[in-house]
Amino acid sequence: MSYTCQVDRHGAHHLELELSYPLRRGADGSRYGVEVFLFTPMALGLNRERYGVAGFLHDVKSYTRCDLCALPLAKMLDPGCALSPLNRLDRRLREMTTEHDLAADQVLYELKTLVNLHHDAVRDVRDLFRRQWMHGLPEASVLEFLAGYLRDHHAFLKALRALYPRLVDPRIPESVRQAVRLADESISIKAEKELHHLARLVAERGGLGDGPLAELEAAIAGEQSYRQRMGFPTVAGPDFCEGNERYVYRESNLKKWAQSSTYMTVETAKTTARLSQFLAGLAAALAMAFAVAAALVTQMFYDMNSLPWAILIVFSYILKDRIKELARNAMINLVPTLVADRVVKLTDPRGGDDVGRSRERVRFFTSDQAPEDIRQMRGRQSDSFRAILPPEQVIQFSKVLLLDSEDLLKNHQRVVGIKEIIRINLGSWLGQMDDPVDELFNYADGQRQKVKTLRVYHVNMIVRLTEKAGEQARALFKYRVILTRNGIERVEEIN
């Protein structure tokens, strides 16, 4: 597994980064770093004074989850595969003597993992097949692939649904029966969706005869009929009907249910708040020390309760309040330097153990102050005006992930990496932009024409991934985000 970065729009206002890091086995701990440099136009006013650290952090949400190994359907069906959830479920059911012998939480974990591995397997195979198809895969290879895919598809679903007769056993908890139905429903939806993708590819290519397409359509019809018999929601009818809404809503919740076994629970650590409270108390103690010293010195020169004494005491207390406020602000500003702008505790989704921390920092500066390698990357495929325009405002979002690899891998033998998902809400960036549509004029074919176009803004983004303190970047990526006042139009990757 290598370092990867994918950036795309997640709705009109949200930018989503999906980052992958390989997890090192045999290491006591792992340290990963991601730095996101956002080069924004000066006209948007996205600087420390107008936007600020708190404003940016409010617009950023990040999620950390375990990345599972690739396990094809045929391998999960192999009785000798120790990592197969199907084999592990079979063994747990066979070894059960009393109801206390079946650990429901472990069975639920295996069922969720089965769903996740199936979804990854069929998606990856379809993507690879499509890429090979574009490079001229021979007809005989296409037919062999489709026959093998359908064979594995039917065998996998048969093995999964062979669990149902074994659930008619009073020793099995109801939560396990319900989980099997949820896993079956989720896998059925994904399996049918991938069959539709393959059928569309076959229909577009043509020249394969009617057999392959007919087999794919028969598998689609069979899966749809099965869900209807089981009482699972299906695509109900025409566009925008309520039945389709329920289907999509159900599919989304099933996906979240399965992926809950991979997402680490995040909880804001109290380190920053505790340090802030300590420094605020230190500032108060410093101010109080000044007030006591001022009172003692005043008594040395003036009688207590005299007018000069009272005036000086009043002024000393005024100064004490100012000293307290100034010292408190100065010390609180030190907190991000000493700790981070935000510290998050990561908890293992399976064992509930504390397996790491993440520390986030936000910095603002102009483009001429960026690190040298980032400036060079920013200059690649840039427009010719870049050198004569004012410097861009740069927002640097840095996140360091500290993980206890051994503790995590004890509970997750199929984990090969860490996936970080960062979503940035750009909605607050759009207010300073001009109207999204501009008018142009053209003269063609003897006629004057009015042409409408989008007025766009470019935000160049550079992502740097690092591992361990002091190491050079393991990977650099550059993207260009095209914005209008209506939101994100597209994201372009700059090779």
Side-chain angles (χ1 to χ4, degrees):
M1 184 178 179
S2 59
Y3 291 84
T4 63
C5 175
Q6 294 181 349
V7 179
D8 206 348
R9 67 195 296 270
H10 190 79
H13 293 168
H14 288 83
L15 193 66
E16 181 174 278
L17 292 79
E18 188 174 290
L19 313 166
S20 296
Y21 317 114
L23 195 60
R24 309 296 182 190
R25 293 184 179 271
D28 293 335
S30 301
R31 182 187 188 277
Y32 304 99
V34 55
E35 295 172 279
V36 181
F37 296 85
L38 295 160
F39 290 77
T40 66
M42 189 72 72
L44 299 185
L46 297 171
N47 51 35
R48 176 177 289 276
E49 289 72 28
R50 299 184 62 180
Y51 192 21
V53 172
F56 184 80
L57 287 177
H58 179 267
D59 290 337
V60 173
K61 298 290 183 293
S62 61
Y63 311 89
T64 304
R65 70 179 180 91
C66 302
D67 210 2
L68 301 176
C69 63
L71 209 59
L73 299 186
K75 199 64 181 175
M76 284 189 273
L77 293 168
D78 182 359
C81 179
L83 297 180
S84 168
L86 287 172
N87 293 336
R88 292 187 176 190
L89 289 167
D90 176 69
R91 186 178 69 252
R92 294 187 189 284
L93 291 173
R94 281 190 290 104
E95 293 175 351
M96 180 181 59
T97 302
T98 70
E99 63 269 22
H100 303 294
D101 296 330
L102 188 66
D105 58 337
Q106 295 179 6
V107 174
L108 293 178
Y109 174 76
E110 292 299 331
L111 286 168
K112 292 178 181 180
T113 302
L114 180 67
V115 174
N116 294 323
L117 288 173
H118 170 267
H119 286 13
D120 291 345
V122 294
R123 182 201 61 215
D124 293 344
V125 167
R126 184 249 300 171
D127 289 343
L128 181 59
F129 175 64
R130 186 178 64 246
R131 291 196 298 271
Q132 293 295 312
W133 186 297
M134 294 171 61
H135 288 86
L137 198 64
E139 179 178 323
S141 299
V142 173
L143 294 174
E144 183 179 349
F145 164 79
L146 291 173
Y149 185 91
L150 286 172
R151 183 174 59 251
D152 291 343
H153 161 81
H154 291 304
F156 183 86
L157 294 181
K158 182 179 180 181
L160 169 64
R161 290 160 188 172
L163 292 174
Y164 279 110
R166 304 173 72 175
L167 298 179
V168 187
D169 187 327
R171 296 172 298 172
I172 294 178
E174 184 60 32
S175 60
V176 171
R177 296 189 184 92
Q178 181 64 22
V180 170
R181 285 182 59 86
L182 294 176
D184 186 17
E185 182 181 357
S186 181
I187 287 173
S188 174
I189 291 173
K190 183 65 174 178
E192 184 187 339
K193 186 176 291 186
E194 295 302 325
L195 289 169
H196 274 290
H197 287 308
L198 291 175
R200 187 178 70 248
L201 284 172
V202 170
E204 290 173 354
R205 174 175 178 137
L208 296 176
D210 296 333
L213 185 58
E215 289 182 15
L216 290 170
E217 290 178 345
I220 292 171
E223 204 54 40
Q224 186 170 320
S225 174
Y226 172 79
R227 281 208 308 280
Q228 291 172 345
R229 293 197 307 271
M230 293 294 291
F232 299 152
T234 59
V235 177
D239 296 341
F240 302 110
C241 70
E242 291 186 6
N244 290 345
E245 289 179 11
R246 288 192 294 270
Y247 176 84
V248 172
Y249 180 76
R250 179 82 175 174
E251 180 187 12
S252 176
N253 283 329
L254 287 169
K255 181 179 178 181
K256 292 174 184 175
W257 171 78
Q259 290 187 344
S260 64
S261 65
T262 63
Y263 277 93
M264 298 185 193
T265 306
V266 297
E267 178 184 349
T268 303
K270 298 179 181 179
T271 306
T272 304
R274 289 170 178 170
L275 184 57
S276 299
Q277 293 295 332
F278 171 76
L279 292 178
L282 190 61
L286 180 65
M288 193 62 194
F290 167 80
V292 171
L296 294 175
V297 171
T298 303
Q299 292 178 15
M300 294 172 58
F301 294 97
Y302 300 100
D303 293 334
M304 186 178 295
N305 299 328
S306 65
L307 181 61
W309 176 88
I311 293 174
L312 289 175
I313 289 296
V314 170
F315 274 104
S316 70
Y317 271 89
I318 293 174
L319 289 175
K320 184 207 78 161
D321 288 340
R322 292 298 86 212
I323 291 171
K324 176 183 176 181
E325 189 65 23
L326 291 172
R328 178 181 176 278
N329 290 339
M331 290 182 178
I332 293 300
N333 288 335
L334 284 175
V335 172
T337 304
L338 297 174
V339 185
D341 292 313
R342 183 162 65 191
V343 180
V344 173
K345 182 171 67 173
L346 301 174
T347 304
D348 182 0
R350 185 180 184 188
D353 299 327
D354 184 0
V355 292
R357 292 282 191 280
S358 71
R359 298 172 181 169
E360 301 174 1
R361 298 178 188 271
V362 181
R363 297 293 179 266
F364 292 83
F365 47 84
T366 54
S367 54
D368 54 349
Q369 298 172 316
E372 178 62 26
D373 60 335
I374 301 301
R375 289 205 305 272
Q376 290 180 3
M377 180 69 83
R378 170 65 185 94
R380 293 184 183 178
Q381 297 189 24
S382 296
D383 57 62
S384 57
F385 290 99
R386 185 68 265 140
I388 61 176
L389 291 174
E392 297 168 294
Q393 292 286 348
V394 181
I395 305 173
Q396 179 187 358
F397 173 70
S398 304
K399 181 173 183 177
V400 175
L401 192 63
L402 303 167
L403 283 178
D404 190 333
S405 307
E406 286 301 305
D407 277 357
L408 188 62
L409 291 171
K410 278 191 304 186
N411 291 328
H412 303 273
Q413 297 178 358
R414 288 161 293 210
V415 169
V416 294
I418 296 298
K419 186 156 287 185
E420 192 81 18
I421 299 173
I422 300 174
R423 287 184 187 151
I424 306 174
N425 184 358
L426 306 184
S428 59
W429 297 23
L430 310 178
Q432 299 296 320
M433 295 183 179
D434 291 332
D435 290 336
V437 178
D438 201 358
E439 291 184 346
L440 303 177
F441 300 94
N442 186 31
Y443 187 79
D445 300 328
Q447 293 185 341
R448 290 178 288 108
Q449 299 175 347
K450 184 184 294 185
V451 180
K452 292 184 179 182
T453 188
L454 294 175
R455 181 180 292 276
V456 299
Y457 295 78
H458 289 183
V459 173
N460 286 273
M461 178 172 64
I462 297 172
V463 181
R464 178 165 63 183
L465 303 182
T466 58
E467 182 182 354
K468 296 184 180 178
E471 268 197 24
Q472 293 183 345
R474 302 303 297 265
L476 277 170
F477 306 89
K478 182 179 179 181
Y479 299 87
R480 183 170 294 132
V481 185
I482 312 300
L483 296 170
T484 71
R485 201 169 71 184
N486 290 334
I488 303 172
E489 288 295 320
R490 64 186 181 276
V491 179
E492 299 174 350
E493 183 175 4
I494 310 298
N495 294 321

